[in-house]
């Protein structure tokens, strides 16, 4: 297929074991070995997709719509998720996946409002469905380009909070507004992101935002409603520097992102 023809199979890559790029250990292998792994994964995903494409929660799903592939317990036992995350874009792909002009042309007056045109890094991401980039922010402007498959991006403003709960309490919100379940918390200036907690890096949240533990991270209830973006092949989303974002793949996915000033 394209990937085996375009990229030398012996190129070394770093792969994260686990559904999230910071959830497990990082191991080295060749690109060809990773493609061998993906052939097995994608085959299993296709089988699960065919079983569920016409019926999810009792509702029909139109062909071509992005859906989350729910892996069977048998599949999860047989294969650990391995995510080729945050590797430098292979030189062999640079002509096939061109970046927008404004990312790498400094001092062009036409793009003076989108940075200085100083490209910092271009990263390549490839993996099966259900891989995750946990909630984090980047210090540079970021353009995420989707090449293959579908992803969901959740975006939170840098210092946002939900004003509805200022001066209120987290526990009452969690329990649907029951006054008897009050647990006061000082919300002013609360860091709902819990960045750098529990061994995470300074720019990465400790909260699993898809299944938040409000007992452990109560101020996450202050998080603003995120902007949700679905990316398909050929789509791109601009992520401003220091905006918090969480990314999930729905199926086999290839993405490229560029950080620039």
């Amino acid at each position: 297929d394209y990937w085996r023809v375009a990229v030398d199979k012996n190129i070394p890559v770093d792969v994260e074991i686990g559904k999230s790029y910071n959830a497990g250990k990082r191991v080295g292998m060749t690109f060809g070995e990773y493609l061998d792994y993906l052939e097995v994964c994608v085959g299993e995903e296709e089988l699960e997709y065919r079983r569920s494409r016409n019926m999810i929660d009792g509702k029909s799903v139109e062909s071509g719509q992005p859906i989350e592939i729910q892996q069977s317990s048998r599949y999860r036992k047989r294969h650990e998720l391995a995510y080729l995350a945050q590797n430098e874009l292979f030189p062999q792909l640079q002509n096939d996946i061109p970046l927008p002009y404004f990312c790498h042309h400094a001092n062009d007056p036409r793009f003076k409002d989108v940075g200085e045109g100083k490209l910092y890094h271009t990263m390549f991401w490839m993996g099966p469905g259900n891989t995750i980039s946990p909630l984090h922010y980047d210090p540079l402007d970021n353009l995420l380009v989707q090449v293959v498959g579908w992803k969901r991006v959740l975006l939170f403003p840098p210092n946002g909070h939900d004003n509805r709960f200022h001066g209120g309490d987290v526990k009452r919100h969690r329990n649907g507004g029951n006054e008897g379940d009050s647990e006061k918390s000082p919300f002013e200036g609360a860091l709902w992101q819990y960045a750098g907690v529990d061994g995470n890096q300074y720019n990465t949240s400790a909260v699993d935002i898809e299944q938040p533990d409000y007992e452990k991270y109560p101020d996450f209830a202050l998080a603003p409603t995120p902007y949700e973006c679905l990316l398909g092949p050929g789509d791109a989303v601009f992520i401003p520097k220091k905006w918090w974002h969480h990314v999930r793949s729905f199926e086999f996915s290839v993405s490229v992102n560029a950080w620039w000033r």
Side-chain angles (χ1 to χ4, degrees):
D1 62 6
Y2 168 79
W3 303 107
R4 292 189 185 276
V5 172
V7 181
D8 184 350
K9 68 178 182 180
N10 295 314
I11 286 182
V13 295
D14 291 322
V15 174
E16 292 285 348
I17 305 300
K19 68 177 182 178
S20 172
Y21 74 70
N22 70 342
K25 61 183 180 180
R26 198 165 175 87
V27 300
M29 63 178 64
T30 68
F31 186 62
E33 289 171 333
Y34 186 68
L35 290 179
D36 291 340
Y37 157 81
L38 279 180
E39 283 188 357
V40 176
C41 286
V42 173
E44 292 281 356
E45 282 186 359
E46 180 65 20
L47 178 60
E48 291 296 317
Y49 174 76
R50 288 177 179 175
R51 289 172 178 168
S52 61
R53 63 183 298 181
N54 294 319
M55 195 67 65
I56 293 182
D57 294 333
K59 298 179 181 179
S60 177
V61 177
E62 292 182 8
S63 177
Q65 293 295 316
I67 66 169
E68 183 171 350
I69 306 298
Q70 296 292 339
Q71 296 166 316
S72 67
S73 59
R74 181 170 62 91
Y75 170 66
R76 280 195 288 263
K77 290 177 182 177
R78 288 175 55 192
H79 307 288
E80 279 192 290
L81 279 181
Y83 192 13
L84 199 162
Q86 206 162 296
N87 284 244
E88 290 282 351
L89 179 64
F90 305 124
Q92 299 96 323
L93 300 180
Q94 290 177 358
N95 289 332
D96 290 345
I97 309 176
L99 293 174
Y101 183 86
F102 60 77
C103 291
H104 52 88
H105 279 73
N107 302 320
D108 189 320
R110 293 177 298 170
F111 304 110
K112 60 183 177 63
D113 295 328
V114 290
E116 303 172 8
K118 297 178 181 177
L119 188 63
Y120 182 65
H121 273 305
T122 307
M123 295 296 183
F124 182 79
W125 309 73
M126 173 183 277
N130 289 325
T131 52
I132 291 172
S133 294
L135 185 65
H136 69 287
Y137 74 84
D138 299 310
L140 299 173
D141 288 331
N142 183 6
L143 190 73
L144 177 61
V145 179
Q146 191 66 10
V147 181
V148 177
W150 288 84
K151 279 186 172 179
R152 182 198 64 197
V153 182
L154 299 176
L155 287 163
F156 299 81
N159 298 308
H161 54 256
D162 193 329
N163 289 319
R164 291 177 301 167
F165 305 115
H166 263 239
D169 63 81
V170 176
K171 198 168 192 177
R172 187 170 64 218
H173 165 58
R174 291 201 306 268
N175 288 280
N178 296 322
E179 293 291 339
D181 293 325
S182 178
E183 181 180 292
K184 297 297 180 182
S185 176
F187 288 155
E188 203 65 48
L191 299 178
W192 59 266
Q193 305 94 339
Y194 290 92
V197 175
D198 294 342
N200 286 280
Q201 295 181 346
Y202 72 93
N203 66 333
T204 303
S205 173
V207 183
D208 177 353
I209 70 169
E210 294 180 318
Q211 295 181 313
D213 183 346
Y214 288 108
E215 294 297 327
K216 188 173 183 180
Y217 308 114
D219 287 339
F220 186 70
L222 291 171
T225 302
Y227 298 94
E228 182 176 11
C229 179
L230 288 178
L231 294 181
D235 292 339
V237 61
F238 170 60
I239 304 173
K241 62 184 178 182
K242 296 189 177 180
W243 274 60
W244 292 85
H245 49 286
H246 176 280
V247 185
R248 168 183 281 279
S249 66
F250 290 118
E251 57 188 354
F252 168 67
S253 173
V254 177
S255 310
V256 171
N257 84 284
W259 288 304
W260 85 98
R261 295 186 187 278

